[in-house]
Each structure stands twice: as C-alpha cells, then as structure tokens.
Amino acid sequence: MSLTFAPDDAESIPLYVISSENLDAIPAEARAWADTNAFVGSLGQTLVVPSADGAIACALVGFGTAKARARGRFQIAEAATKLPTSTYHIAAGLDGLALEEAALGWLLAGYSFDRYVKPSKSIAQLKAPEGVDAARLEIIAAGEALTRDLINTPTADMGPGDLEAATRALADEHGALLHVTSGDDLLEQNFPMIHTVGRAVGPDPHRAPRLMDMTWGDDGPTLTLVGKGVCFDTGGLNIKPGASMGLMKKDMGGSATVLGLAHMIMALKLPLRLRVLIPAVENSIDGTAFRPQDILTSRKGLTVEINNTDAEGRLVLADALALADEATPDLVISMATLTGAARVAVGPDISPYFTNEMKCVQALETAAIDVADPVWRLPFHEPYEAMIEPGIADLDNAPKGGFAGTITAALFLRRFVEAPYMHFDVYGWQPVAQPARPKGGVGMGARAILAALPAMLDL
C-alpha cells in the first residue's frame, strides 16, 4: 500500500487530462492514436499512447463534461488502477483545486486493507504535481488510511483495548500525552454512563469500557475532539436483528475519524491545543447489561431514562462531552456513527452536522467544497426539545415516534455542552466502491474540518 508520491527525480510518463469539451488539448503526437482508439475524453476513459519503439510515450485520461464530473469525486484517481504500473506526472489539463483533488485522490487510490490477505498488486505512481503541497496531502492520506484501517478491522482485533493501543501509538508518534480510565475506575472518576453501557463484556480487562484522554500542544486556541468508540453494538437487550448487526464493527467510526483528523492536525503542527476524548465500549449482553426503563445519572448530573438500549452511543458521548466542557475549550467537535436517521436523510456520502456557530458554518461550507468532502447542516430545532424530555427523568435516550431521530440525538448531546459545539453524525462506510474509496471504512468530514480550522479558530 503506497500513500506517497513518487520521488521528484523519478523518470515519469506525461499524463494529459482531457475533457470531452476540449479534445483539442490532446497533444499533436497523440491525436491520430486517439482517433484510432475512439478516445473522446469521456470521464474515466484512459488511453496509453505508444512511442515508435513500443514504450509508453504518454497517457490520456478523460475528464468528461462538467455535468458528468458533478456526479462524483476523485474521478482522476480511477486512472491509477487502469494505467500500466509505472510512474506518471500530470503534464496538462488540471490546475488549482481540481489538481489538488486529483493528486489526493491518486494517493487514496493506493489504499487497501490487507491485514488478513496478501497485499494487492501495486498501482501506478504519481509524481507530486507542481504547485501542490505534497507533504500536506501525504499527511492527509495517512490520516485517512488510519481511519479506514481502524473501521475495517473486525472487533475481535479492535475492541476497547485495541482501540486504546491504536490511540497510544498515535500519541507516541506525535509526543502527545494519553490518560486512560477503565473498568470500575470509571465509576470512581464519575463516568457512570460509559461504565454502564460497557459493563456487560465480562471479566476480560482488555474488553472493559474505558475513556481515552489525549492532549497535545502548548499554545493557541483549544480544540476538543470527541469520538464515539462503540467497538461493537449488539443493541444490548433491545438486540438488533442480524441484518442490522452485520456492520456494527464500524460503530467506532466516530473515534476512527477523530483519530485520523488528530493525526493530520498533529503532523501538520497546527498552532492549537488539541484534546481527544474517546469513550470506548462494547454494547454487549449478559446479566449485568443495562435495561429498558433504567434511569441513569450522567457525569453532568442529568438523569436519563433508557427507552432503548440500542441508543447507547449518545450515552457514552454524553459523559465525554461533559468532561470536555469542564475545561471551557474554544471549540468542541463530536463525531459519531450515531443514527440511521442521518443515513435516511442524506445517504452514505454526505456528513450531516449540527452547530449554531455561524463562523464555523461559513468556514466549513466553503472548505467542504474546496476539498471535495461534502457536508450538510441540519438544525438544532428547539421545538423538538420536548421530545427528549420523558417526564420522569431529565432526558430520554430514545424518543418514541420515529420522527427527526438525528435531530433529537443531536439535541440530547447538546445538553452536555456549553462551549461552542459542532456535532457530526457520520456513516463511516463506503457501501459501493468509488474512485479513491474502496468498499469499506471511510473517513467523512475530517478533511473539511481540517481545511476549515484556520477560519474557525483564527489560527
């Protein structure tokens, strides 16, 4: 798996990106061959142009029409898997943000999850295009690969203890500090809901619930990232049907995305103080599992009536968010694979988010377009607050009725934060392979956040 650009001094083959609206951009020496092979610049079309001695003189990649390009992302990355394995450089056809997207997409096309199989064959390499910040893109690709690896790893090898090990490795890599509270110590340190959700795993300390607290940086504004780390979700006593449980290894996708983003921030040495909080649990079933109609008391002191044990993610996040808020950070961002309602609303390709911080909205909406990482703002709709108030407790973890599930979940989380706050309800999974995104775990929203942080925090 190669997620780096080819060396600048490597011999390379010129690659021309040709839109179907500008076929005149085909180099003169390649036009006859393009005509012979019906190359019309359609999106994803590739053509190798031979030299007189049979070597590759250049390659053409179709960029289609503007209408066709609007229906996807990273389309040029498809060429990395179609072209003969060699080293190429983009000679013409792209500039600005389109060139940066193509370069990053090419790197991401080199990702494969091969922990349990022989590595797949290598793909064509690309030299960093002139004018692109190659080091930054390689860091972003590495952060995305970390997120994908964590999500793709099955729970047998990615339980709470394994997620802690991954977090510790990241902390060690960047000189960050990591403090972990686990098992019954969660009760002593007042994280009761994290303990309650994760206590049914049995006596194995490697599977015990825990809270990871990682800090990095000495100067600048304070950013706290909170990631849902439910390493597997059976649904608890409100057990999921088999079809719904099939992808639950990805229920720690929020924590995986947060760790990938944290890598980007630390490797780029952004001038801020970073804190990462990850409540890591398995929502399992045994005689100690929490029950419907139980009433839990959170770290903040708010009581929560349990009306569905399958709405556990917001419970563990609530304790972590309460801890985050105690330090009055400049910005808190939570990321979680929280609700199926979010997928119904916007599908698997878009990251819905919530915030009332208009400065953050403006920065994020612009950045998301620039870096091809789509987001969509949903409202903290105040009239729905009554839906999460059950009457016999402060909050209801699973309001009845089925309406506005992603909004009521976000409103629930907001009750635990007074600081400026953003919440992302991500899917974390690519259901069908697309350019630069194989089927499996995928980062969502992290690149948009990274690009927006300077404006969000006045860096």
Side-chain angles (χ1 to χ4, degrees):
M1 182 171 69
S2 175
L3 297 174
T4 58
F5 292 109
D8 289 338
D9 59 357
E11 291 188 9
S12 57
I13 299 165
L15 182 71
Y16 296 90
V17 180
I18 308 296
S19 74
S20 55
E21 300 151 330
N22 188 24
L23 295 179
D24 290 342
I26 297 174
E29 64 272 18
R31 287 177 186 168
W33 187 253
D35 290 342
T36 298
N37 288 275
F39 181 85
V40 293
S42 57
L43 193 61
Q45 188 179 15
T46 59
L47 180 65
V48 172
V49 180
S51 61
D53 62 0
I56 301 176
C58 67
L60 309 180
V61 175
F63 203 37
T65 64
K67 183 177 180 180
R69 292 192 295 273
R71 298 184 66 172
R73 294 180 280 156
F74 299 119
Q75 291 101 333
I76 295 301
E78 197 170 0
T81 59
K82 287 184 175 181
L83 291 171
T85 302
S86 190
T87 299
Y88 298 82
H89 68 272
I90 296 176
L94 294 174
D95 56 19
L97 293 173
L99 182 61
E100 184 171 297
E101 179 187 333
L104 177 60
W106 199 293
L107 291 180
L108 294 178
Y111 173 84
S112 62
F113 183 64
D114 50 27
R115 177 169 175 172
Y116 304 99
V117 296
K118 292 181 179 179
S120 56
K121 70 173 185 177
S122 60
I123 65 169
Q125 293 290 103
L126 183 72
K127 289 170 67 171
E130 189 173 336
V132 165
D133 188 338
R136 178 182 175 87
L137 293 185
E138 288 178 345
I139 286 169
I140 291 171
E144 169 67 17
L146 173 61
T147 295
R148 294 180 183 184
D149 280 349
L150 293 173
I151 296 173
N152 284 328
T153 303
T155 308
D157 294 320
M158 191 48 64
D162 304 290
L163 188 54
E164 176 188 332
T167 305
R168 193 173 299 281
L170 185 65
D172 290 345
E173 178 182 353
H174 295 289
L177 299 177
L178 178 64
H179 177 74
V180 180
T181 305
S182 62
D184 289 343
D185 288 345
L186 290 165
L187 295 176
E188 294 181 10
Q189 298 298 318
N190 193 24
F191 300 107
M193 294 206 295
I194 298 173
H195 183 274
T196 296
V197 171
R199 70 192 181 196
V201 293
D204 184 355
H206 193 66
R207 296 281 160 184
R210 65 202 67 207
L211 176 68
M212 279 88 81
D213 185 348
M214 183 174 72
T215 54
W216 173 88
D218 300 317
D219 299 300
T222 52
L223 170 67
T224 300
L225 305 177
V226 182
K228 174 186 169 185
V230 178
C231 295
F232 196 84
D233 182 18
T234 65
L237 293 176
N238 292 114
I239 191 167
K240 294 176 182 287
S244 299
M245 208 185 299
L247 276 181
M248 282 301 99
K249 70 174 185 178
K250 80 168 187 67
D251 211 21
M252 40 66 69
S255 64
T257 306
V258 158
L259 289 174
L261 175 56
H263 169 77
M264 299 175 199
I265 290 170
M266 294 186 289
L268 291 169
K269 295 179 169 56
L270 295 191
L272 54 78
R273 287 172 288 170
L274 176 67
R275 188 181 194 185
V276 176
L277 297 173
I278 295 175
V281 301
E282 289 185 45
N283 188 19
S284 297
I285 302 172
D286 75 359
T288 66
F290 70 118
R291 298 163 289 266
Q293 305 303 306
D294 281 353
I295 294 181
L296 310 182
T297 300
S298 68
R299 178 182 181 85
K300 190 172 182 177
L302 295 173
T303 55
V304 181
E305 182 182 14
I306 304 303
N307 280 306
N308 192 316
T309 61
D310 196 19
E312 83 299 328
R314 67 201 70 185
L315 303 176
V316 300
L317 285 171
D319 274 355
L321 287 169
L323 174 65
D325 200 57
E326 290 164 13
T328 62
D330 293 300
L331 180 62
V332 177
I333 300 176
S334 60
M335 306 192 83
T337 53
L338 202 63
T339 68
R343 307 287 70 76
V344 172
V346 299
D349 201 40
I350 300 170
S351 301
Y353 75 99
F354 298 80
T355 190
N356 286 335
E357 304 297 321
M358 294 312 298
K359 179 180 179 180
C360 293
V361 171
Q362 293 165 4
L364 185 70
E365 297 285 345
T366 299
I369 294 171
D370 288 347
V371 301
D373 191 9
V375 301
W376 196 266
R377 185 184 176 213
L378 294 176
F380 280 128
H381 189 55
E382 302 283 350
Y384 291 167
E385 289 280 3
M387 296 169 65
I388 60 172
E389 296 170 344
I392 64 170
D394 295 314
L395 294 168
D396 183 339
N397 84 317
K400 295 179 175 61
F403 289 126
T406 189
I407 297 175
T408 55
L411 289 171
F412 180 101
L413 295 178
R414 191 178 66 161
R415 293 289 186 98
F416 296 86
V417 189
E418 300 296 332
Y421 178 49
M422 305 180 77
H423 167 61
F424 288 74
D425 192 338
V426 299
Y427 189 49
W429 191 261
Q430 183 67 37
V432 178
Q434 296 289 338
R437 290 161 292 153
K439 181 179 179 180
V442 69
M444 297 178 66
R447 293 185 297 105
I449 294 170
L450 181 73
L453 280 177
M456 287 179 178
L457 295 174
D458 296 319
L459 300 180

